[in-house]
Amino acid sequence: MGYILNQDRMQVILNELQKDYIIYAPQNKVGEGMYSDTDVVRYERIQQIMDVEFHKKSNYSFKEVLLPISQTLFYYTENEVKEAEVERKKGAIIFLRSCDLHAVKRLDEMYLKNGFEDYYYKRLRDNVKFVVMGCENSFENCFCVSMGSNIPENYDIAIEERDGLYYVDCKDDEINALFEMSDEQKEAVTIHFVQTNDITVSIPENLSIDVIKSKMWDEYSSRCINCGRCNFVCPTCTCFTMQDVFYTDNGKVGERRRVHASCMVDGYTEVAGGGSYRKTNGERMRFKVLHKVYDYKKRNGYHMCVGCGRCDDVCPEYISFSNCVNKLEGAMEEITNHE
Amino acid sequence: MDINTKKLKKNAFRVTKERGLTASRVRVPGGHMDAKYLSTLQEIAEKYGNGTVHITVRQGFEIPGIKYEDMPQVNLLLQPIIEGLEINQPDKNEGYSASGTRNIVACVGNRVCPYGCYDTSGFAARIEKAVFPHDLHFKIALTGCPNDCAKVRMHDFGILGMTLPQYNKDRCVSCMACVKACKKKSVGALTMVNGKVVRNHEKCIGCGECAIQCPTRAWTRSNEKYYRLTLLGRTGKKNPRLAEDFIKWVDEESITKIIVNTYAYVEEYIDKDAPLRKEHIGYIVDRTGFEEYKKWALKDVTLSEVAEVSKTMYWKGISYL
């Protein structure tokens, strides 16, 4: 059902929803950017509709809601273990964009369908509704059209904010009932999703693992600073590492945490005995790029990357993931001609 | 030719080594201005000067080769610059009205530089408003971060930008970027304890390197801008010396008050026989003792709880006396 609401009426609906759900949305955090007097858009629990950032791409993705950056799993002391309380007991409503909704499918694939269900993911994933925010225009560095993630599927609400009015297309019966309860008029509403991006990406049909022999990876060894920002902002990067810590004032008590990990950051490939793989940043870039557009697809039938372009937005060294992907065709030619 | 050299100096012209010729000294507070004023400088240099411009060490332009009799015309041409740079001017069309207090210098700051902790030129302009025009010999400089590209420790008042790092441990992934950067590029105030970072506040110089390096926004900058205020550095013939720390984590309002208070202190204690009423403040403080200066400087100043004031101050430096 379609509705058009002003801010006050939209807030009424949001207030109703907050009885049963915690709302997470991208928020512009003033002054919290990398540099002085710059902002960052990242996910926060919000209570006011005016706190939702509708007009900028979020720098960090929604994944932090389903996969906390640093999550205590359980506490231990001597012979006892106590599971940590779940982060939220209510359901969640997550505002995100079409590319991100496609990323949810990737997270589910890895955490729910990859042999067994991940307990900690599942308990945050259950009882979640998705509010997809329209994209009237493509943002800088977006290439969702190339990755087929520009049109959302299976959302509960689609929403757009224009000139102080909220345009809502609701597919969820429970929430539709709320709109009806507050006597909202049904309107024909179209939520916009982009059909083109400035950036297009093409992944060669003949891409094979031989591409690792290409010289194209070498430049990243000197350009990349292995900070891992590209991974941390990526809505489909799901790697974590485990930390068992013992509290310093009582070495018999501690906790196990899992925290986000990055295949670009030092230590990622360290194994028992001191071995370490992919030492150069070029090798790490190669691993990351091929995981996003090659080996994930081999297993699951579709690409991991959803084309949000956040990795390009955030890179302090101006390394472009999309441009790297577009170099793969030339790299395949280089390999084929060489052999 | 009958020229009052005392008067022209206060009007930001200078007696040059070439008889009959002066130079116009154009101050640019905070060193940042609209590019359109460059064409005015070009016009003055080509019409009244010798066609050259010297970029001064204090972020001004010195236009040499001007005839003394052309000073009024040059002042007329300078008027749009003086107004555009919002320089306090008692008499319109009369040029700059003082030259004792030197141009307030600033590095490019956070308008451009990733390391800058604040808008240096903006703060410079606000100090400018509070102290100019003034003929006492004060040198003030601002720099965006503890790298001190503006060399503020060579000034009476050195202002170094600081940020008080804010840590959100729930966003920290123990990647070590901040710890490594702090150790290699700054003072090593951060350590990793049980996968989370501990900041040594006493050691921290507020450079903001952690907030720049953090890939997850676990480290961010404080809303409040903080500064380190250093005092009484100087160049000169007798006893050049680097400024010493006065207050760490001080706020903008307090700095401005301290500078204004210092003018009153200097009026009171300056050597009455000082040539052209020009005496570095440091020599005056040497005479009165630091305690007396501190009393004047901190009059009606309310520092925040985070501010750390030096109990006493000693300066080193090279003495040729």
Side-chain angles (χ1 to χ4, degrees), chain A residues 32-37 42 60 64 69-70 227 229 232 243 245-248 257 260 266, chain B residues 110 114 116-117 170-171 173-174 180 194-196 211-217 220-221 225:
Chain A
E32 293 190 19
M34 188 173 165
Y35 304 123
S36 156
D37 293 338
R42 64 171 179 80
Y60 290 80
E64 299 168 6
I69 295 172
S70 176
C227 66
R229 283 177 174 82
F232 297 125
Q243 295 178 346
V245 301
F246 294 90
Y247 304 141
T248 49
R257 300 194 276 254
H260 287 192
D266 287 348
Chain B
N110 84 356
C117 292
D170 294 333
R171 295 190 69 81
V173 296
S174 336
K180 286 181 195 166
N194 273 346
K196 302 293 171 189
I212 295 173
Q213 302 298 336
C214 180
T216 60
R217 309 321 301 136
T220 53
R221 291 161 185 277
K225 304 271 198 293

mmCIF file of all heavy atoms in Angstrom, chain A residues 32-37 42 60 64 69-70 227 229 232 243 245-248 257 260 266, chain B residues 110 114 116-117 170-171 173-174 180 194-196 211-217 220-221 225:
data_model
loop_
_atom_site.group_PDB
_atom_site.id
_atom_site.type_symbol
_atom_site.label_atom_id
_atom_site.label_comp_id
_atom_site.label_asym_id
_atom_site.label_seq_id
_atom_site.Cartn_x
_atom_site.Cartn_y
_atom_site.Cartn_z
ATOM 1 N N GLU A 32 32.388 13.263 13.310
ATOM 2 C CA GLU A 32 32.992 11.966 13.634
ATOM 3 C C GLU A 32 33.715 11.330 12.446
ATOM 4 O O GLU A 32 34.024 10.149 12.446
ATOM 5 C CB GLU A 32 31.928 11.010 14.202
ATOM 6 C CG GLU A 32 31.412 11.469 15.547
ATOM 7 C CD GLU A 32 30.532 10.432 16.241
ATOM 8 O OE1 GLU A 32 30.585 9.244 15.882
ATOM 9 O OE2 GLU A 32 29.784 10.839 17.144
ATOM 10 N N GLY A 33 33.947 12.128 11.422
ATOM 11 C CA GLY A 33 34.690 11.634 10.258
ATOM 12 C C GLY A 33 36.167 11.497 10.574
ATOM 13 O O GLY A 33 36.637 11.824 11.665
ATOM 14 N N MET A 34 36.891 11.032 9.574
ATOM 15 C CA MET A 34 38.321 10.771 9.733
ATOM 16 C C MET A 34 39.093 12.059 10.045
ATOM 17 O O MET A 34 40.013 12.072 10.840
ATOM 18 C CB MET A 34 38.772 10.185 8.394
ATOM 19 C CG MET A 34 40.144 9.665 8.319
ATOM 20 S SD MET A 34 40.288 8.870 6.682
ATOM 21 C CE MET A 34 42.048 8.705 6.571
ATOM 22 N N TYR A 35 38.688 13.147 9.398
ATOM 23 C CA TYR A 35 39.399 14.410 9.539
ATOM 24 C C TYR A 35 38.560 15.397 10.350
ATOM 25 O O TYR A 35 37.345 15.249 10.457
ATOM 26 C CB TYR A 35 39.712 15.005 8.159
ATOM 27 C CG TYR A 35 40.491 14.076 7.274
ATOM 28 C CD1 TYR A 35 40.009 13.702 6.027
ATOM 29 C CD2 TYR A 35 41.712 13.536 7.699
ATOM 30 C CE1 TYR A 35 40.727 12.838 5.208
ATOM 31 C CE2 TYR A 35 42.426 12.668 6.902
ATOM 32 C CZ TYR A 35 41.935 12.322 5.651
ATOM 33 O OH TYR A 35 42.647 11.462 4.866
ATOM 34 N N SER A 36 39.248 16.401 10.858
ATOM 35 C CA SER A 36 38.603 17.418 11.676
ATOM 36 C C SER A 36 37.457 18.100 10.910
ATOM 37 O O SER A 36 37.588 18.413 9.725
ATOM 38 C CB SER A 36 39.684 18.419 12.069
ATOM 39 O OG SER A 36 39.179 19.656 12.376
ATOM 40 N N ASP A 37 36.342 18.312 11.611
ATOM 41 C CA ASP A 37 35.149 18.956 11.029
ATOM 42 C C ASP A 37 34.592 18.217 9.808
ATOM 43 O O ASP A 37 34.073 18.840 8.884
ATOM 44 C CB ASP A 37 35.423 20.437 10.681
ATOM 45 C CG ASP A 37 35.661 21.284 11.920
ATOM 46 O OD1 ASP A 37 35.230 20.872 13.011
ATOM 47 O OD2 ASP A 37 36.283 22.357 11.798
ATOM 48 N N ARG A 42 26.856 6.532 9.560
ATOM 49 C CA ARG A 42 26.928 5.135 9.944
ATOM 50 C C ARG A 42 25.674 4.747 10.716
ATOM 51 O O ARG A 42 24.868 5.598 11.086
ATOM 52 C CB ARG A 42 28.199 4.838 10.738
ATOM 53 C CG ARG A 42 28.313 5.548 12.060
ATOM 54 C CD ARG A 42 29.507 4.996 12.856
ATOM 55 N NE ARG A 42 29.672 5.660 14.121
ATOM 56 C CZ ARG A 42 28.972 5.393 15.216
ATOM 57 N NH1 ARG A 42 28.018 4.478 15.200
ATOM 58 N NH2 ARG A 42 29.205 6.043 16.345
ATOM 59 N N TYR A 60 29.444 3.434 6.408
ATOM 60 C CA TYR A 60 29.520 2.075 6.952
ATOM 61 C C TYR A 60 28.164 1.423 6.715
ATOM 62 O O TYR A 60 27.142 2.105 6.648
ATOM 63 C CB TYR A 60 29.889 2.108 8.442
ATOM 64 C CG TYR A 60 31.323 2.555 8.652
ATOM 65 C CD1 TYR A 60 31.655 3.904 8.613
ATOM 66 C CD2 TYR A 60 32.347 1.634 8.830
ATOM 67 C CE1 TYR A 60 32.974 4.323 8.762
ATOM 68 C CE2 TYR A 60 33.659 2.044 8.985
ATOM 69 C CZ TYR A 60 33.969 3.387 8.948
ATOM 70 O OH TYR A 60 35.268 3.789 9.092
ATOM 71 N N GLU A 64 26.618 -4.029 10.578
ATOM 72 C CA GLU A 64 26.963 -3.906 11.998
ATOM 73 C C GLU A 64 25.777 -4.241 12.908
ATOM 74 O O GLU A 64 25.963 -4.598 14.067
ATOM 75 C CB GLU A 64 27.433 -2.471 12.291
ATOM 76 C CG GLU A 64 28.675 -2.094 11.490
ATOM 77 C CD GLU A 64 28.996 -0.602 11.546
ATOM 78 O OE1 GLU A 64 28.318 0.134 12.291
ATOM 79 O OE2 GLU A 64 29.925 -0.176 10.841
ATOM 80 N N ILE A 69 30.348 -5.297 15.459
ATOM 81 C CA ILE A 69 31.782 -5.180 15.174
ATOM 82 C C ILE A 69 32.590 -5.927 16.225
ATOM 83 O O ILE A 69 33.565 -6.605 15.924
ATOM 84 C CB ILE A 69 32.192 -3.688 15.140
ATOM 85 C CG1 ILE A 69 31.486 -2.994 13.973
ATOM 86 C CG2 ILE A 69 33.699 -3.537 15.029
ATOM 87 C CD1 ILE A 69 31.662 -1.485 13.957
ATOM 88 N N SER A 70 32.180 -5.795 17.469
ATOM 89 C CA SER A 70 32.849 -6.487 18.568
ATOM 90 C C SER A 70 31.746 -7.055 19.449
ATOM 91 O O SER A 70 30.961 -6.306 20.021
ATOM 92 C CB SER A 70 33.724 -5.497 19.349
ATOM 93 O OG SER A 70 34.293 -6.129 20.469
ATOM 94 N N CYS A 227 45.033 -0.927 5.503
ATOM 95 C CA CYS A 227 44.293 -0.420 6.668
ATOM 96 C C CYS A 227 43.013 -1.208 6.895
ATOM 97 O O CYS A 227 42.458 -1.188 7.999
ATOM 98 C CB CYS A 227 43.965 1.062 6.500
ATOM 99 S SG CYS A 227 42.810 1.435 5.160
ATOM 100 N N ARG A 229 40.030 -0.623 5.621
ATOM 101 C CA ARG A 229 38.776 0.134 5.552
ATOM 102 C C ARG A 229 37.814 -0.476 4.539
ATOM 103 O O ARG A 229 36.608 -0.546 4.771
ATOM 104 C CB ARG A 229 39.045 1.599 5.174
ATOM 105 C CG ARG A 229 39.577 2.440 6.311
ATOM 106 C CD ARG A 229 39.884 3.854 5.808
ATOM 107 N NE ARG A 229 40.267 4.753 6.869
ATOM 108 C CZ ARG A 229 41.484 4.839 7.386
ATOM 109 N NH1 ARG A 229 42.451 4.058 6.942
ATOM 110 N NH2 ARG A 229 41.748 5.699 8.354
ATOM 111 N N PHE A 232 35.997 -3.229 6.218
ATOM 112 C CA PHE A 232 35.124 -2.852 7.334
ATOM 113 C C PHE A 232 33.852 -2.153 6.859
ATOM 114 O O PHE A 232 32.817 -2.246 7.504
ATOM 115 C CB PHE A 232 35.881 -1.991 8.350
ATOM 116 C CG PHE A 232 37.036 -2.733 8.995
ATOM 117 C CD1 PHE A 232 38.321 -2.217 8.965
ATOM 118 C CD2 PHE A 232 36.817 -3.958 9.614
ATOM 119 C CE1 PHE A 232 39.380 -2.913 9.548
ATOM 120 C CE2 PHE A 232 37.868 -4.663 10.193
ATOM 121 C CZ PHE A 232 39.157 -4.142 10.157
ATOM 122 N N GLN A 243 38.612 -13.572 20.098
ATOM 123 C CA GLN A 243 39.522 -13.101 21.136
ATOM 124 C C GLN A 243 39.083 -13.701 22.460
ATOM 125 O O GLN A 243 37.946 -13.482 22.888
ATOM 126 C CB GLN A 243 39.484 -11.566 21.242
ATOM 127 C CG GLN A 243 39.998 -10.854 20.010
ATOM 128 C CD GLN A 243 39.904 -9.339 20.146
ATOM 129 O OE1 GLN A 243 39.227 -8.813 21.040
ATOM 130 N NE2 GLN A 243 40.593 -8.636 19.255
ATOM 131 N N VAL A 245 39.914 -13.310 26.212
ATOM 132 C CA VAL A 245 40.683 -12.420 27.080
ATOM 133 C C VAL A 245 40.402 -12.758 28.540
ATOM 134 O O VAL A 245 39.322 -13.218 28.891
ATOM 135 C CB VAL A 245 40.361 -10.930 26.815
ATOM 136 C CG1 VAL A 245 40.658 -10.566 25.374
ATOM 137 C CG2 VAL A 245 38.921 -10.590 27.160
ATOM 138 N N PHE A 246 41.410 -12.545 29.357
ATOM 139 C CA PHE A 246 41.272 -12.700 30.811
ATOM 140 C C PHE A 246 41.412 -11.331 31.431
ATOM 141 O O PHE A 246 42.359 -10.606 31.133
ATOM 142 C CB PHE A 246 42.350 -13.656 31.341
ATOM 143 C CG PHE A 246 42.179 -15.060 30.832
ATOM 144 C CD1 PHE A 246 42.794 -15.472 29.651
ATOM 145 C CD2 PHE A 246 41.369 -15.955 31.516
ATOM 146 C CE1 PHE A 246 42.608 -16.760 29.165
ATOM 147 C CE2 PHE A 246 41.184 -17.239 31.031
ATOM 148 C CZ PHE A 246 41.806 -17.650 29.854
ATOM 149 N N TYR A 247 40.457 -10.954 32.263
ATOM 150 C CA TYR A 247 40.491 -9.617 32.848
ATOM 151 C C TYR A 247 41.768 -9.449 33.659
ATOM 152 O O TYR A 247 42.185 -10.349 34.386
ATOM 153 C CB TYR A 247 39.247 -9.375 33.710
ATOM 154 C CG TYR A 247 37.954 -9.576 32.938
ATOM 155 C CD1 TYR A 247 36.850 -10.186 33.514
ATOM 156 C CD2 TYR A 247 37.859 -9.153 31.603
ATOM 157 C CE1 TYR A 247 35.672 -10.362 32.804
ATOM 158 C CE2 TYR A 247 36.687 -9.335 30.879
ATOM 159 C CZ TYR A 247 35.595 -9.939 31.480
ATOM 160 O OH TYR A 247 34.446 -10.124 30.771
ATOM 161 N N THR A 248 42.356 -8.280 33.535
ATOM 162 C CA THR A 248 43.692 -8.079 34.102
ATOM 163 C C THR A 248 43.710 -8.122 35.627
ATOM 164 O O THR A 248 44.697 -8.499 36.229
ATOM 165 C CB THR A 248 44.286 -6.733 33.633
ATOM 166 O OG1 THR A 248 43.295 -5.729 33.834
ATOM 167 C CG2 THR A 248 44.679 -6.783 32.172
ATOM 168 N N ARG A 257 35.202 -13.021 22.698
ATOM 169 C CA ARG A 257 34.557 -12.074 21.790
ATOM 170 C C ARG A 257 34.814 -12.509 20.366
ATOM 171 O O ARG A 257 35.827 -13.147 20.075
ATOM 172 C CB ARG A 257 35.204 -10.687 21.913
ATOM 173 C CG ARG A 257 35.153 -10.040 23.230
ATOM 174 C CD ARG A 257 35.525 -8.567 23.090
ATOM 175 N NE ARG A 257 36.977 -8.368 23.097
ATOM 176 C CZ ARG A 257 37.651 -7.867 24.139
ATOM 177 N NH1 ARG A 257 37.010 -7.542 25.237
ATOM 178 N NH2 ARG A 257 38.945 -7.689 24.064
ATOM 179 N N HIS A 260 35.179 -8.129 14.068
ATOM 180 C CA HIS A 260 35.390 -8.082 12.617
ATOM 181 C C HIS A 260 36.877 -8.222 12.292
ATOM 182 O O HIS A 260 37.726 -7.699 13.001
ATOM 183 C CB HIS A 260 34.879 -6.767 12.042
ATOM 184 C CG HIS A 260 33.376 -6.688 11.996
ATOM 185 N ND1 HIS A 260 32.702 -5.712 11.317
ATOM 186 C CD2 HIS A 260 32.425 -7.478 12.546
ATOM 187 C CE1 HIS A 260 31.386 -5.903 11.447
ATOM 188 N NE2 HIS A 260 31.194 -6.954 12.196
ATOM 189 N N ASP A 266 47.323 -6.796 8.644
ATOM 190 C CA ASP A 266 48.348 -7.720 9.141
ATOM 191 C C ASP A 266 47.742 -8.676 10.163
ATOM 192 O O ASP A 266 46.932 -8.273 10.991
ATOM 193 C CB ASP A 266 49.479 -6.939 9.841
ATOM 194 C CG ASP A 266 50.350 -6.193 8.846
ATOM 195 O OD1 ASP A 266 50.218 -6.458 7.630
ATOM 196 O OD2 ASP A 266 51.149 -5.345 9.284
ATOM 197 N N ASN B 110 42.760 23.087 9.022
ATOM 198 C CA ASN B 110 41.834 22.046 8.566
ATOM 199 C C ASN B 110 40.956 22.458 7.389
ATOM 200 O O ASN B 110 40.088 21.706 6.980
ATOM 201 C CB ASN B 110 41.008 21.485 9.735
ATOM 202 C CG ASN B 110 39.779 22.321 10.071
ATOM 203 O OD1 ASN B 110 39.553 23.384 9.498
ATOM 204 N ND2 ASN B 110 38.977 21.841 11.001
ATOM 205 N N PRO B 114 44.782 17.354 6.182
ATOM 206 C CA PRO B 114 44.134 16.260 6.916
ATOM 207 C C PRO B 114 44.515 16.217 8.399
ATOM 208 O O PRO B 114 43.766 15.690 9.207
ATOM 209 C CB PRO B 114 44.648 14.993 6.235
ATOM 210 C CG PRO B 114 45.300 15.418 4.985
ATOM 211 C CD PRO B 114 45.672 16.857 5.126
ATOM 212 N N GLY B 116 45.170 18.909 10.326
ATOM 213 C CA GLY B 116 44.710 20.107 11.033
ATOM 214 C C GLY B 116 43.566 19.780 11.985
ATOM 215 O O GLY B 116 42.613 19.115 11.598
ATOM 216 N N CYS B 117 43.663 20.264 13.223
ATOM 217 C CA CYS B 117 42.630 19.980 14.220
ATOM 218 C C CYS B 117 41.590 21.093 14.296
ATOM 219 O O CYS B 117 40.633 20.984 15.061
ATOM 220 C CB CYS B 117 43.264 19.782 15.593
ATOM 221 S SG CYS B 117 44.269 18.289 15.698
ATOM 222 N N ASP B 170 33.306 -0.510 21.479
ATOM 223 C CA ASP B 170 32.476 -1.466 20.750
ATOM 224 C C ASP B 170 32.734 -1.443 19.250
ATOM 225 O O ASP B 170 32.309 -2.340 18.531
ATOM 226 C CB ASP B 170 30.990 -1.187 21.015
ATOM 227 C CG ASP B 170 30.618 -1.453 22.466
ATOM 228 O OD1 ASP B 170 31.296 -2.284 23.102
ATOM 229 O OD2 ASP B 170 29.671 -0.816 22.960
ATOM 230 N N ARG B 171 33.406 -0.405 18.765
ATOM 231 C CA ARG B 171 33.728 -0.352 17.338
ATOM 232 C C ARG B 171 35.181 -0.761 17.067
ATOM 233 O O ARG B 171 35.626 -0.748 15.919
ATOM 234 C CB ARG B 171 33.481 1.056 16.769
ATOM 235 C CG ARG B 171 32.020 1.489 16.797
ATOM 236 C CD ARG B 171 31.779 2.767 16.014
ATOM 237 N NE ARG B 171 31.946 2.577 14.582
ATOM 238 C CZ ARG B 171 31.025 2.056 13.776
ATOM 239 N NH1 ARG B 171 29.856 1.694 14.252
ATOM 240 N NH2 ARG B 171 31.278 1.895 12.490
ATOM 241 N N VAL B 173 38.370 -3.084 16.512
ATOM 242 C CA VAL B 173 38.640 -4.441 16.035
ATOM 243 C C VAL B 173 40.091 -4.857 16.311
ATOM 244 O O VAL B 173 40.585 -5.812 15.727
ATOM 245 C CB VAL B 173 38.329 -4.588 14.533
ATOM 246 C CG1 VAL B 173 36.843 -4.383 14.264
ATOM 247 C CG2 VAL B 173 39.162 -3.622 13.693
ATOM 248 N N SER B 174 40.778 -4.138 17.147
ATOM 249 C CA SER B 174 42.170 -4.457 17.530
ATOM 250 C C SER B 174 43.118 -4.525 16.333
ATOM 251 O O SER B 174 44.039 -5.327 16.328
ATOM 252 C CB SER B 174 42.260 -5.792 18.289
ATOM 253 O OG SER B 174 41.063 -6.140 18.914
ATOM 254 N N LYS B 180 50.091 1.610 16.305
ATOM 255 C CA LYS B 180 51.305 1.721 15.479
ATOM 256 C C LYS B 180 51.567 3.170 15.078
ATOM 257 O O LYS B 180 52.695 3.655 15.160
ATOM 258 C CB LYS B 180 51.154 0.880 14.210
ATOM 259 C CG LYS B 180 51.270 -0.623 14.428
ATOM 260 C CD LYS B 180 51.131 -1.318 13.075
ATOM 261 C CE LYS B 180 50.874 -2.811 13.223
ATOM 262 N NZ LYS B 180 50.423 -3.407 11.944
ATOM 263 N N ASN B 194 44.135 -6.495 26.205
ATOM 264 C CA ASN B 194 42.997 -7.392 25.985
ATOM 265 C C ASN B 194 42.163 -7.012 24.764
ATOM 266 O O ASN B 194 40.936 -7.000 24.815
ATOM 267 C CB ASN B 194 42.097 -7.420 27.230
ATOM 268 C CG ASN B 194 42.575 -8.464 28.235
ATOM 269 O OD1 ASN B 194 43.399 -9.321 27.887
ATOM 270 N ND2 ASN B 194 42.063 -8.415 29.444
ATOM 271 N N GLY B 195 42.829 -6.667 23.685
ATOM 272 C CA GLY B 195 42.104 -6.386 22.449
ATOM 273 C C GLY B 195 41.459 -5.023 22.364
ATOM 274 O O GLY B 195 40.784 -4.716 21.393
ATOM 275 N N LYS B 196 41.622 -4.200 23.388
ATOM 276 C CA LYS B 196 41.087 -2.831 23.342
ATOM 277 C C LYS B 196 42.222 -1.860 23.668
ATOM 278 O O LYS B 196 43.224 -2.235 24.285
ATOM 279 C CB LYS B 196 39.931 -2.662 24.333
ATOM 280 C CG LYS B 196 38.761 -3.635 24.107
ATOM 281 C CD LYS B 196 38.013 -3.394 22.793
ATOM 282 C CE LYS B 196 37.014 -4.496 22.511
ATOM 283 N NZ LYS B 196 36.415 -4.431 21.172
ATOM 284 N N ALA B 211 42.491 9.167 15.421
ATOM 285 C CA ALA B 211 41.194 9.383 14.768
ATOM 286 C C ALA B 211 41.339 9.312 13.245
ATOM 287 O O ALA B 211 40.418 8.913 12.546
ATOM 288 C CB ALA B 211 40.618 10.730 15.178
ATOM 289 N N ILE B 212 42.500 9.714 12.743
ATOM 290 C CA ILE B 212 42.730 9.640 11.297
ATOM 291 C C ILE B 212 42.916 8.188 10.877
ATOM 292 O O ILE B 212 42.348 7.731 9.889
ATOM 293 C CB ILE B 212 43.977 10.470 10.894
ATOM 294 C CG1 ILE B 212 43.739 11.950 11.169
ATOM 295 C CG2 ILE B 212 44.319 10.242 9.419
ATOM 296 C CD1 ILE B 212 44.975 12.821 10.966
ATOM 297 N N GLN B 213 43.702 7.455 11.643
ATOM 298 C CA GLN B 213 44.067 6.099 11.220
ATOM 299 C C GLN B 213 42.958 5.083 11.452
ATOM 300 O O GLN B 213 42.900 4.068 10.774
ATOM 301 C CB GLN B 213 45.328 5.627 11.964
ATOM 302 C CG GLN B 213 46.552 6.511 11.768
ATOM 303 C CD GLN B 213 47.018 6.582 10.334
ATOM 304 O OE1 GLN B 213 46.744 5.683 9.543
ATOM 305 N NE2 GLN B 213 47.700 7.659 9.974
ATOM 306 N N CYS B 214 42.073 5.322 12.416
ATOM 307 C CA CYS B 214 41.095 4.296 12.782
ATOM 308 C C CYS B 214 40.180 3.948 11.612
ATOM 309 O O CYS B 214 39.489 4.813 11.078
ATOM 310 C CB CYS B 214 40.246 4.768 13.963
ATOM 311 S SG CYS B 214 39.031 3.524 14.436
ATOM 312 N N PRO B 215 40.157 2.667 11.195
ATOM 313 C CA PRO B 215 39.345 2.309 10.027
ATOM 314 C C PRO B 215 37.881 2.068 10.348
ATOM 315 O O PRO B 215 37.083 1.869 9.440
ATOM 316 C CB PRO B 215 40.012 1.010 9.543
ATOM 317 C CG PRO B 215 40.559 0.386 10.780
ATOM 318 C CD PRO B 215 40.951 1.534 11.696
ATOM 319 N N THR B 216 37.502 2.071 11.621
ATOM 320 C CA THR B 216 36.115 1.732 11.978
ATOM 321 C C THR B 216 35.380 2.864 12.694
ATOM 322 O O THR B 216 34.234 2.692 13.084
ATOM 323 C CB THR B 216 36.082 0.493 12.895
ATOM 324 O OG1 THR B 216 36.827 0.797 14.083
ATOM 325 C CG2 THR B 216 36.680 -0.725 12.214
ATOM 326 N N ARG B 217 36.015 4.008 12.891
ATOM 327 C CA ARG B 217 35.476 5.132 13.679
ATOM 328 C C ARG B 217 35.312 4.759 15.151
ATOM 329 O O ARG B 217 34.404 5.262 15.828
ATOM 330 C CB ARG B 217 34.147 5.706 13.132
ATOM 331 C CG ARG B 217 34.089 6.066 11.666
ATOM 332 C CD ARG B 217 35.335 6.695 11.095
ATOM 333 N NE ARG B 217 35.774 7.937 11.706
ATOM 334 C CZ ARG B 217 37.059 8.195 12.003
ATOM 335 N NH1 ARG B 217 38.019 7.317 11.786
ATOM 336 N NH2 ARG B 217 37.382 9.337 12.518
ATOM 337 N N THR B 220 37.301 8.799 17.412
ATOM 338 C CA THR B 220 36.838 10.012 16.739
ATOM 339 C C THR B 220 37.369 11.212 17.516
ATOM 340 O O THR B 220 37.963 11.056 18.579
ATOM 341 C CB THR B 220 35.295 10.085 16.699
ATOM 342 O OG1 THR B 220 34.792 9.909 18.021
ATOM 343 C CG2 THR B 220 34.718 9.002 15.789
ATOM 344 N N ARG B 221 37.139 12.401 16.956
ATOM 345 C CA ARG B 221 37.608 13.617 17.607
ATOM 346 C C ARG B 221 36.573 14.141 18.587
ATOM 347 O O ARG B 221 35.385 13.886 18.423
ATOM 348 C CB ARG B 221 37.872 14.704 16.549
ATOM 349 C CG ARG B 221 39.045 14.396 15.677
ATOM 350 C CD ARG B 221 39.010 15.198 14.395
ATOM 351 N NE ARG B 221 40.101 14.763 13.536
ATOM 352 C CZ ARG B 221 41.343 15.213 13.648
ATOM 353 N NH1 ARG B 221 41.636 16.139 14.530
ATOM 354 N NH2 ARG B 221 42.286 14.743 12.863
ATOM 355 N N LYS B 225 37.113 21.855 20.533
ATOM 356 C CA LYS B 225 38.464 22.013 20.015
ATOM 357 C C LYS B 225 39.364 22.418 21.195
ATOM 358 O O LYS B 225 38.976 23.241 22.018
ATOM 359 C CB LYS B 225 38.504 23.120 18.956
ATOM 360 C CG LYS B 225 37.525 22.906 17.804
ATOM 361 C CD LYS B 225 38.161 22.103 16.696
ATOM 362 C CE LYS B 225 37.422 22.208 15.375
ATOM 363 N NZ LYS B 225 36.096 21.603 15.347
#
